């Protein structure tokens, strides 16, 4: 009986390594069981390395945070941004407020007011029908 088990094991190993599949029922059942236990997909080594690198980078950032300056946010020019604001009366009694980081020129203001007046006129036609 021990010899029979050894031969069955050898046939199973040969079949799993890509050899010929034996015709006996026991070995076929063992191959089917091994196939059921095998994972359905394999992991991509590049994705594993990419995940590991991202995890280690996050760990290093946690261990060694960037130094903060005591004078951060002062005199760096970011808090001195001027916001340009202009109000324009629209035809029909509306009012348009235009704000921009750049200077608002009269040409841009007229174009914006005309475009908005056109949009409002189209919407008014939609409500009348």
């Amino acid at each position: 009986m021990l010899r029979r088990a050894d031969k069955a094991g050898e046939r199973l190993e040969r079949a799993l390594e890509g050899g010929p599949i034996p015709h006996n029922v026991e070995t076929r059942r063992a191959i089917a069981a091994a196939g059921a236990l095998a994972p359905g997909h394999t992991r991509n080594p590049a994705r594993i390395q990419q995940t590991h690198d991202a995890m280690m980078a996050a760990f290093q950032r946690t261990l060694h945070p960037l130094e903060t300056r005591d004078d951060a946010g002062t005199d760096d020019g970011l808090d001195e941004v001027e916001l340009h604001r202009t109000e324009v009366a629209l035809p029909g009694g509306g009012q348009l407020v235009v704000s921009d980081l750049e200077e608002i020129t009269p040409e841009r203001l007229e174009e914006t007011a005309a475009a908005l007046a056109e949009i409002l006129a189209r919407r008014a036609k939609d409500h009348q029908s």
Side-chain angles (χ1 to χ4, degrees), residues 42-106:
T42 58
R43 296 175 63 194
N44 183 351
R47 293 286 293 164
I48 293 170
Q49 185 63 41
Q50 185 180 22
T51 303
H52 179 266
D53 293 344
M55 185 177 58
M56 292 307 292
F59 178 68
Q60 289 297 326
R61 281 193 303 271
T62 303
L63 283 182
H64 309 291
L66 295 175
E67 294 181 19
T68 56
R69 294 186 348 236
D70 293 335
D71 63 341
T74 58
D75 296 330
D76 56 5
L78 296 177
D79 55 352
E80 300 168 4
V81 175
E82 182 180 352
L83 185 64
H84 301 278
R85 183 174 187 270
T86 305
E87 296 180 14
V88 178
L90 294 175
Q95 187 171 6
L96 172 67
V97 178
V98 179
S99 300
D100 199 349
L101 294 174
E102 298 177 6
E103 187 175 345
I104 301 171
T105 62

